[in-house]
Amino acid sequence: QQIQEDLNKQLLDNLVSFLRRSHSEFQGKTTEWTCRMKSREIPTAALVLGVNVTDHDLTFRNLSEALQNNVTPYIALLEAKDCPGIKNLMQKLMGQLMNCSTDVVSLEDEDYVQVSQNRIRCSMKSLVDWYDSVTKKTDSETLSKKRTSSSKHQQSPPVVVIFKDMESFTTKVLQDFIVISSQHIHELPLVLIFGIATSPMIIHSLLPHSVSSLLCIELFQSLSCKEHLSTIIDKLLLTSRFPFKLGEKVLQVLINIFLYHDFSVWNFIKGFQLCIVEHFYSEPLSVLCCQLADAKKRVNSLSHDQCENIRRLPSFRSIILNFGNAFKVTMVTVHVQDQETTQKLLEDLHVYHENYVSVLRCLHVFTCSLPKYPLGKQIRELHCACLENRVWETEDYESSLQLARMLNKSDLETMLQQCVEILVSSSGNKFDKAVEKLKEFLTQFQKLEAEAFQEQDVSVSSQKELQKKTDLYHLQKTLLELKDSRRSKKLTKFEMLRFEVVDYIDSLVRNYLVPADHKTLHEIVYFNTASVLRGHLNAAPRIALHTALNNPYSYLKNQALKSDGRSISNKAPDICIVYKLHLECGRLINLVDWLEAFSTVVTAVEGPNADAASSDQVDDIIHARFIRAVSELELLGFIKPSKQKTDHVARLTWGGC
Amino acid sequence: PAKKNKENKMSNLVEEYFEAHSSSKVLTSDRTLQKLRRRRLSQQTLHDLLKKAPLAYAAEIKELNQLHESLFSKWLLQLHLGFNIVLYGLGSKRDLLEKFRTSLLQDSVHLVVNGYFPSITVRSILNSITEEVLDHIGTFRSPLDQLDFITERFKEDSSLELYVLIHNLDSQMLRGERTQQILAQLSSLPSIYLIASVDHINAPLMWDQAKLSLYNWLWYETTTFSPYVEETSYENSLLVQQSGSLALSSLTHVLRSLTLNARGIFRLLAQYQLENKDNPSYPGLSFQDFYQQCREAFLVNSDLTLRAQLTEFRDHKLIRTKRGADGVEYLLIPVDDSTLTDFLEKEDEDV
C-alpha cells in the first residue's frame, strides 16, 4: 500500500506540474493582456476551454495564482451555482475580494473584523432593498476600500473577476452585473474573464447588444483536450520512470472512454489511478513493481510463498518449459537460485522497457508522416498496436514499410537525425551500436548529396536538350534515353542506402518491440484486466438489471432456473415472472389481467400440492407476492401508475429491454 | 457482420419505440380491480402474508451476498483513496450496506441516510452532519451556507473522517438537481467517504459531467435478488390501499365520531352523487340545492349550520368544493363510487 500511495503521489505531482507547464504559456498571454488593458469599456477575456468541464478547475486555479503573483491581488472566482441572483453574486464577490485583500495586505485584526462585519451588514441590507440602495452601497464600499488600499500600492491594480462557467449563469444576473460594473469602471478598474465551454458565439446569444457593447472582448483559445491526452500518455506511459505499465486492452478502454464519452483528462487520470489500485490490490507479486534497485532488494526478502507465486505465473511457466530438464528441477526446488533468476529476469524486463520506448519513438518518427497513416497518427495508436501483437506481422506495418521505401531524401535525413537524437538521449547503453550505424547512414547521405547535385545537373542538361531539339525523332530518342537512365538510376547509391536504412529500422523493430505479453514476468508490472476497469468506470446498470430479470440463472446458480431465455419459466423469482409478463404488453397494462396471468404461471408450480381447501389462502399469498413484485418494478422505474384508465399502469420502457 | 447485426438491432429498437408510442388507442381489457371479488389488502396484511411466503432460492442469494461481502475491505481501501462507491443491480442493497456498516464501520463516525424515506431532505442530512458530527448548534440561512461551513470545518481539521451511507440515492426526494449538487460537493471532500446505492433504471441521468467528477464514482454491480421490503413499504402501490385517496375504513372512522345529523348530511350527499354517477358532466351538488334538501330532511335549520358542518367535512377531506362556471359552489365527495357504495351498504346494515 505504501508503495502504491507513493506511486500515486508521484504520478499526480508529475501530472500537475505538466498541466501547469502546458497552461503557463496560455496564462502568460492572458496576464500580459490584463496588464495592458486600459480603456473605457470593461476589458474582457473570453477563454474557450472546450467541453471537458471537469478539467477546468485546475486551469482556473493556476490562472488565478499566476495573476496573483504577477498582476493584481484582487481576484474573485465566481461559479454559477453560487450566484442564482445578483445579490448572491455581489455578496460572493465582495467576500472573495475582501479575503483577497486581507490575505495580501495582511491588515490588522480589527480591520479584518470590521470588514467581515461590513459584509454581513451589506447582505442584510441587500435583503431589504437589493438594487437601488445597497448594491450601490456595496459598490461604493468596494470603491472606498479600493481607494484606501490602493494608496498603499504604487499603481492601481485591476480587479479581476473570473466567471468559471459562463454557460450556466443566468442571463439576467450576468447582464445586471455588467451594466452595474460598467458604470463604475472609472473608479474601479474591473477585468472580466469568462470561461466558455462551447464557442464564443455564446457571449452574443447570452448578452444583448446593449450589454455586449460595454465589453471589450478578446478571445483566447486553450489547448484541445486531445493534445493534453497525447502529452499525458507521452509523459506517463512512455517513460521508464514509472515502473507500472498498462496492458493493451486496459489502455484501449481508457482511451475509448476518453474519446467516445467525456474528453476529460481528469477522468483519464482517475482511471489510471484505479488501475494502479487494482493492480497493487489484486496481484500478490506487485510488490516487485518498483525501481530496479528496490526490486532487487525486495526479491532477496521474498517469502517462500511469494516465490511459489512467481513460479505459478503463466509467463514464467513457459520459460521453464523452454529450458532444459536439470535446470528446471533446480528452479522448482531451490529457493536461492530462484531469486537469482528472478533478479535477472527483472533486469531484463527493465532494459526491455527502456529500449522499447526509444525504439517506439523512432518508429513513430517514421510512421507519423506517411500518407494515410497506416499505423496511426498518434504515438498512442502505435503503442497500442505494438502491445497488442507482434507489430511486424500486421498488414499495416507491411504497408507502412512499403511507403517508407518511397520516401525522398530530405525527409529521410531529418527522420534519421531525429532518431539519432532520441537514441542518444535514451539512457539505455545498448544503442551505441545503433547510433553509430545511423550516424554512418547520415554521413553517407551527406556524401550522396554531392552526387545528387551532379545527377540533378545531368537531368537539367537533358531537359535543356529537350527544349532545344524540337525534332520529333530526336525527342523520342532522348525520351527513351531518359527512361533508360531512370531505370538504371533505380539502383543508385541513394536508393540502396534507403533500402538499407529501412531494413535496419525494421530489424530494430523486430528486436525491441516485442509485445510485453511475450516477456517473462510481465505480470508484475502490467495491469491487464480490462473488464474490471470497464465495470467500475463505465458501468451499465440497465444491462445488469435486464440480465438479472431476464435470465436469473446468470446470478443464481440453480439448475431449476436454466432456461432458453424466451419462455417464461415458472420457477423464476416472482419479479422475473412479472417482468416477463410485462414485456409482452403494450404501452398500458391492465393490472387485473396481469395479476391473473401471474397467478396462472405461479400456480402451475404449486398445482400438484395445492389443496382445494387452502386455495383461498394461496390466492391471498399470490396476490401479496404480485403486489410486492409490481411495487418493486415501480421502484425500479419500469412502470408507473397511470391515470388514463382505471387500474392501469403505463410502461416506461419499450421493446424487449 | 457483427456490426451490421448491431445496426439492425439499433434500428429495431427505434422502431419498437415508435411502435409502442404510435397509436394513442390502447388495447387492454376493461376489467378493473373493483370487479374482482377480492378485498384490497392493507399494508399490514400484505406484510403478514409476505412473511408467510417463503423466499425462493435463499441459498443462492446467500451465496451471492457472500460474494459481495468479500469485497468489503477493497471498498474501504478505495474509499480511502478518494473514490466513492455506488452499488447497482437488482435487489435490495440495504442489508448489504448494513452489513458493511456493522462489520467495518463500527468504530468510526458514520451517517446512514435512508433515501427511500419519503420525507427526507438534503437539509436534514446536512443538519445531522453539523449537529451530530461537528457538534455545532445553530441554524444556517441556506443549505449552501451550511455546506460551506462543513467544508471549512473538514478542511481545518484533518482528523475528522465521516462515512456516509445513502440507501437509494435516486429516490424521489433526493433526485432533485440541487440536492444532488450539494451531495456531490459533500462527497468530493477528501475526508468524507460516500457509499450509495441506486435502483432506478434511469438513475445515471441525474448526474452531469461536473457532478460525476465531483462524485468520483466507482461502480459496483451488486445484484442481490433480495426483496425491497423497506424501500417499497413507502411506495404507494396501486394494489395496496392508498393513503392519498380516502379509504373505506378511514371514511367510516371519521363518520362514526360525528353527530347523527352530520352523518345524515354526508349520506344525503353520497346518495345524490351515486345517483348521478353515470353522468360524466355531473358537476356536483350546488350548495343551494343541498341546503334545500337538508332542510327538507330536517337535518339543518340554517344556512350557517350547514356551512359549519361542511367546513368540518372539508377539514377531514371528506368533500371537495368546486366553483362552477356560473360562480355557484358545487360539492363533491372525492372518493370513488365503489367505495361510496360499500359505505352506504354498511351504513344501512348498521341502521
Side-chain angles (χ1 to χ4, degrees):
Chain A
Q1 246 192 52
Q2 188 55 44
I3 327 162
Q4 167 194 320
E5 270 161 25
D6 283 355
L7 200 68
N8 242 334
K9 216 176 144 214
Q10 198 183 348
L11 185 105
L12 288 179
D13 283 351
N14 194 27
L15 207 97
V16 167
S17 69
F18 153 70
L19 278 180
R20 200 160 279 175
R21 230 177 307 134
S22 74
H23 287 312
S24 62
E25 191 186 334
F26 173 60
Q27 277 158 10
K29 259 194 294 179
T30 332
T31 36
E32 198 178 284
W33 173 82
T34 34
C35 293
R36 214 181 51 220
M37 283 311 286
K38 261 170 195 128
S39 93
R40 277 196 56 240
E41 297 149 321
I42 311 175
T44 308
L47 312 182
V48 182
L49 291 168
V51 289
N52 45 342
V53 195
T54 48
D55 302 337
H56 299 166
D57 263 2
L58 199 67
T59 320
F60 283 117
R61 216 176 306 141
N62 290 345
L63 181 63
S64 59
E65 233 167 66
L67 287 174
Q68 193 122 41
N69 292 337
N70 303 331
V71 186
T72 165
Y74 305 112
I75 293 158
L77 226 163
L78 297 177
E79 283 181 64
K81 62 172 191 289
D82 296 331
C83 315
I86 185 89
K87 188 190 88 191
N88 309 59
L89 190 142
M90 288 309 288
Q91 255 177 35
K92 199 93 193 165
L93 181 65
M94 295 271 304
Q96 285 201 15
L97 283 181
M98 285 175 172
N99 274 342
C100 276
S101 59
T102 42
D103 279 353
V104 175
V105 187
S106 69
L107 295 168
E108 302 283 300
D109 280 4
E110 293 157 87
D111 281 359
Y112 181 73
V113 172
Q114 202 190 341
V115 164
S116 59
Q117 269 175 352
N118 270 349
R119 187 200 163 190
I120 290 163
R121 210 187 64 214
C122 290
S123 65
M124 288 301 285
K125 279 210 165 186
S126 59
L127 267 175
V128 183
D129 186 8
W130 66 272
Y131 189 79
D132 272 340
S133 61
V134 181
T135 42
K136 288 245 173 78
K137 200 166 188 179
T138 56
D139 270 345
S140 51
E141 252 164 37
T142 12
L143 297 185
S144 61
K145 179 179 66 75
K146 260 232 59 89
R147 279 193 211 103
T148 54
S149 54
S150 61
S151 59
K152 288 173 196 167
H153 284 266
Q154 281 82 5
Q155 89 277 40
S156 62
V159 173
V160 180
V161 182
I162 303 177
F163 292 88
K164 241 176 160 178
D165 33 6
M166 174 93 173
E167 276 86 351
S168 29
F169 272 94
T170 14
T171 344
K172 180 108 176 53
V173 172
L174 212 57
Q175 286 172 22
D176 284 351
F177 177 74
I178 290 170
V179 171
I180 293 170
S181 50
S182 74
Q183 310 237 318
H184 296 278
I185 188 71
H186 291 293
E187 299 113 292
L188 180 74
L190 266 179
V191 175
L192 307 184
I193 297 181
F194 295 144
I196 294 172
T198 48
S199 80
M201 284 301 293
I202 192 78
I203 298 177
H204 300 290
S205 58
L206 271 183
L207 303 175
H209 179 70
S210 58
V211 176
S212 61
S213 63
L214 295 172
L215 302 173
C216 169
I217 301 172
E218 187 150 334
L219 263 186
F220 294 90
Q221 197 85 32
S222 80
L223 274 179
S224 82
C225 48
K226 260 163 83 183
E227 280 164 55
H228 273 188
L229 177 73
S230 37
T231 16
I232 279 175
I233 285 180
D234 219 47
K235 290 258 161 20
L236 285 185
L237 301 178
L238 299 178
T239 59
S240 45
R241 277 210 297 147
F242 299 112
F244 174 77
K245 309 271 181 226
L246 290 181
E248 183 266 335
K249 288 215 182 87
V250 175
L251 186 60
Q252 206 74 56
V253 166
L254 282 180
I255 289 177
N256 280 352
I257 291 178
F258 179 87
L259 289 180
Y260 296 116
H261 288 263
D262 53 11
F263 288 122
S264 159
V265 178
W266 189 248
N267 283 357
F268 185 84
I269 308 289
K270 183 189 143 193
F272 191 72
Q273 206 182 340
L274 178 67
C275 290
I276 297 177
V277 175
E278 278 289 327
H279 181 69
F280 283 95
Y281 186 82
S282 58
E283 264 295 327
L285 286 170
S286 55
V287 280
L288 296 180
C289 178
C290 48
Q291 302 298 341
L292 189 59
D294 292 339
K296 277 184 175 170
K297 264 183 231 156
R298 279 181 202 158
V299 167
N300 283 329
S301 57
L302 278 185
S303 71
H304 192 75
D305 283 350
Q306 282 170 315
C307 289
E308 196 57 41
N309 277 331
I310 292 181
R311 270 178 230 127
R312 290 227 181 93
L313 289 178
S315 66
F316 196 75
R317 276 210 201 149
S318 60
I319 205 179
I320 291 180
L321 288 180
N322 290 339
F323 275 123
N325 217 358
F327 182 69
K328 195 152 79 182
V329 171
T330 53
M331 287 275 280
V332 172
T333 52
V334 184
H335 186 74
V336 181
Q337 188 159 4
D338 199 2
Q339 285 178 352
E340 275 170 19
T341 37
T342 316
Q343 278 185 354
K344 206 186 82 210
L345 287 171
L346 280 178
E347 207 167 321
D348 277 355
L349 203 61
H350 189 74
V351 170
Y352 158 73
H353 281 313
E354 281 183 353
N355 298 345
Y356 174 86
V357 173
S358 23
V359 174
L360 187 72
R361 281 178 203 279
C362 288
L363 184 61
H364 178 62
V365 165
F366 269 87
T367 54
C368 68
S369 57
L370 295 176
K372 283 190 188 168
Y373 314 105
L375 275 174
K377 205 175 189 175
Q378 310 272 0
I379 196 162
R380 60 160 191 269
E381 292 162 288
L382 193 63
H383 183 52
C384 279
C386 288
L387 283 177
E388 191 183 5
N389 221 325
R390 291 171 202 273
V391 74
W392 55 90
E393 283 170 3
T394 58
E395 266 177 48
D396 290 337
Y397 181 77
E398 206 57 49
S399 62
S400 55
L401 272 197
Q402 219 113 68
L403 286 171
R405 289 197 179 100
M406 286 180 256
L407 283 170
N408 64 5
K409 191 176 138 252
S410 60
D411 283 353
L412 196 61
E413 217 170 319
T414 49
M415 280 176 192
L416 280 177
Q417 196 63 52
Q418 279 174 342
C419 285
V420 170
E421 272 163 26
I422 289 169
L423 291 182
V424 166
S425 64
S426 82
S427 51
N429 45 7
K430 283 199 166 185
F431 285 113
D432 291 347
K433 221 169 74 185
V435 172
E436 265 172 40
K437 185 87 176 170
L438 285 185
K439 273 186 181 160
E440 193 185 315
F441 279 136
L442 264 188
T443 47
Q444 275 176 326
F445 271 117
Q446 268 142 26
K447 266 188 232 157
L448 265 182
E449 228 158 75
E451 295 165 36
F453 274 128
Q454 286 175 3
E455 276 173 33
Q456 266 178 8
D457 285 346
V458 171
S459 61
V460 166
S461 63
S462 63
Q463 294 265 313
K464 276 176 189 162
E465 273 173 54
L466 264 182
Q467 280 164 359
K468 266 185 231 161
K469 288 168 188 169
T470 47
D471 194 334
L472 202 63
Y473 170 73
H474 284 287
L475 181 69
Q476 202 174 9
K477 206 174 166 189
T478 41
L479 275 177
L480 275 175
E481 272 172 15
L482 269 177
K483 219 174 176 182
D484 275 348
S485 69
R486 266 195 205 137
R487 198 171 288 147
S488 63
K489 229 195 256 169
K490 198 155 206 168
L491 287 175
T492 54
K493 255 185 176 173
F494 166 66
E495 271 159 17
M496 300 265 280
L497 201 56
R498 186 160 70 179
F499 278 116
E500 238 174 277
V501 170
V502 173
D503 285 343
Y504 185 69
I505 292 288
D506 188 33
S507 70
L508 270 184
V509 167
R510 275 166 204 267
N511 279 335
Y512 293 112
L513 292 188
V514 184
D517 289 0
H518 298 254
K519 283 291 185 187
T520 326
L521 292 190
H522 70 88
E523 286 93 341
I524 290 176
V525 292
Y526 277 86
F527 176 68
N528 249 329
T529 36
S531 58
V532 178
L533 192 70
R534 202 181 295 128
H536 288 337
L537 288 182
N538 206 6
R542 264 183 102 137
I543 294 177
L545 279 179
H546 180 69
T547 43
L549 286 170
N550 224 4
N551 184 15
Y553 178 71
S554 52
Y555 293 96
L556 304 171
K557 300 289 177 207
N558 194 316
Q559 283 302 310
L561 288 176
K562 247 183 182 169
S563 72
D564 57 350
R566 282 273 158 217
S567 64
I568 300 171
S569 145
N570 50 22
K571 294 187 196 67
D574 292 343
I575 188 168
C576 302
I577 298 175
V578 170
Y579 174 75
K580 286 222 173 146
L581 288 171
H582 122 284
L583 283 187
E584 290 171 358
C585 297
R587 199 154 53 85
L588 280 183
I589 307 167
N590 186 325
L591 276 173
V592 184
D593 296 342
W594 200 5
L595 170 60
E596 228 144 73
F598 176 72
S599 67
T600 324
V601 173
V602 173
T603 42
V605 195
E606 288 156 8
N609 52 11
D611 298 332
S614 65
S615 73
D616 204 30
Q617 182 75 22
V618 169
D619 264 6
D620 264 354
I621 289 182
I622 288 175
H623 191 181
R625 279 164 62 185
F626 177 70
I627 291 172
R628 177 173 65 185
V630 168
S631 44
E632 280 172 2
L633 275 193
E634 191 184 341
L635 178 80
L636 292 176
F638 284 102
I639 54 168
K640 72 165 189 202
S642 158
K643 289 245 156 57
Q644 223 168 326
K645 226 171 158 187
T646 44
D647 292 330
H648 274 66
V649 290
R651 248 183 97 178
L652 300 177
T653 55
W654 65 89
C657 61
Chain B
K3 201 174 176 183
K4 204 169 182 186
N5 242 334
K6 208 172 171 185
E7 260 170 29
N8 261 334
K9 218 172 169 186
M10 209 48 197
S11 66
N12 267 345
L13 266 181
V14 174
E15 269 163 29
E16 270 170 5
Y17 174 83
F18 285 111
E19 218 166 86
H21 291 258
S22 59
S23 64
S24 58
K25 191 152 170 52
V26 187
L27 294 172
T28 49
S29 68
D30 291 331
R31 302 200 294 167
T32 59
L33 287 171
Q34 286 309 325
K35 289 185 181 138
L36 212 63
R37 286 310 310 163
R38 187 175 293 140
R39 65 203 153 76
R40 288 199 169 194
L41 302 166
S42 71
Q43 193 80 51
Q44 190 54 45
T45 49
L46 177 75
H47 197 70
D48 293 344
L49 279 172
L50 283 179
K51 260 191 188 158
K52 276 185 219 157
L55 186 60
Y57 305 109
E60 282 84 3
I61 289 174
K62 202 174 162 202
E63 213 168 279
L64 264 181
N65 276 328
Q66 270 164 3
L67 202 70
H68 300 318
E69 280 158 27
S70 64
L71 293 173
F72 279 176
S73 58
K74 193 171 175 182
W75 291 358
L76 210 58
L77 173 73
Q78 283 169 341
L79 285 175
H80 277 275
L81 285 169
F83 293 101
N84 293 311
I85 286 175
V86 61
L87 311 177
Y88 66 93
L90 183 68
S92 166
K93 285 151 293 264
R94 196 171 168 280
D95 296 339
L96 193 71
L97 279 181
E98 273 300 295
K99 195 145 192 193
F100 177 70
R101 187 179 74 84
T102 48
S103 60
L104 285 180
L105 300 185
Q106 228 22 279
D107 304 328
S108 36
V109 188
H110 57 264
L111 174 75
V112 180
V113 179
N114 293 325
Y116 51 82
F117 190 63
S119 58
I120 195 154
T121 57
V122 70
R123 179 156 260 189
S124 59
I125 298 173
L126 291 178
N127 276 342
S128 53
I129 292 178
T130 48
E131 280 163 21
E132 322 244 316
V133 180
L134 299 179
D135 283 328
H136 173 88
I137 308 156
T139 50
F140 297 90
R141 264 175 304 156
S142 71
L144 279 176
D145 282 350
Q146 202 163 1
L147 188 71
D148 284 346
F149 173 76
I150 292 170
T151 321
E152 243 355 81
R153 282 295 301 274
F154 271 96
K155 274 191 182 145
E156 273 169 27
D157 192 351
S158 58
S159 67
L160 275 173
E161 284 190 337
L162 174 66
Y163 294 86
V164 183
L165 287 86
I166 304 183
H167 302 293
N168 294 74
L169 187 61
D170 53 346
S171 65
Q172 289 288 350
M173 295 308 294
L174 297 182
R175 65 175 63 149
E177 200 267 331
R178 285 175 57 78
T179 309
Q180 288 295 329
Q181 177 70 42
I182 286 170
L183 286 178
Q185 273 173 285
L186 204 60
S187 74
S188 68
L189 291 179
S191 47
I192 288 185
Y193 313 117
L194 177 68
I195 299 191
S197 65
V198 294
D199 287 302
H200 200 279
I201 39 171
N202 293 329
L205 295 184
M206 297 190 288
W207 303 312
D208 59 15
Q209 241 198 59
K211 288 197 199 79
L212 276 179
S213 78
L214 283 176
Y215 270 125
N216 208 1
W217 286 131
L218 275 191
W219 294 80
Y220 272 93
E221 182 178 344
T222 53
T223 305
T224 59
F225 273 100
S226 39
Y228 293 97
V229 181
E230 290 286 322
E231 288 91 329
T232 53
S233 66
Y234 295 105
E235 191 103 347
N236 275 329
S237 174
L238 294 160
L239 299 150
V240 187
Q241 287 171 349
Q242 286 171 6
S243 51
S245 84
L246 215 51
L248 182 60
S249 60
S250 44
L251 200 65
T252 44
H253 268 302
V254 174
L255 283 171
R256 285 246 171 87
S257 60
L258 293 177
T259 60
L260 207 62
N261 276 1
R263 259 189 272 177
I265 294 172
F266 188 77
R267 230 178 111 90
L268 210 65
L269 188 60
Q271 273 167 348
Y272 193 78
Q273 184 163 343
L274 280 182
E275 278 165 27
N276 287 301
K277 70 177 173 190
D278 293 329
N279 178 10
S281 61
Y282 165 69
L285 190 56
S286 72
F287 181 77
Q288 279 311 320
D289 293 349
F290 193 37
Y291 177 57
Q292 209 57 43
Q293 285 186 19
C294 288
R295 258 185 94 93
E296 279 162 17
F298 296 110
L299 290 171
V300 291
N301 57 0
S302 75
D303 191 319
L304 229 61
T305 34
L306 180 59
R307 280 208 188 275
Q309 219 40 269
L310 289 182
T311 317
E312 178 139 17
F313 286 157
R314 198 178 303 141
D315 289 347
H316 286 99
K317 290 182 180 144
L318 292 180
I319 60 164
R320 215 172 57 207
T321 52
K322 204 163 60 178
R323 214 168 270 283
D326 45 357
V328 182
E329 233 180 318
Y330 288 105
L331 303 169
L332 265 180
I333 304 178
V335 179
D336 50 5
D337 300 336
S338 50
T339 327
L340 219 51
T341 329
D342 289 348
F343 167 71
L344 285 181
E345 276 168 14
K346 222 170 162 192
E347 284 282 278
D348 288 339
E349 276 169 29
D350 287 353
V351 173

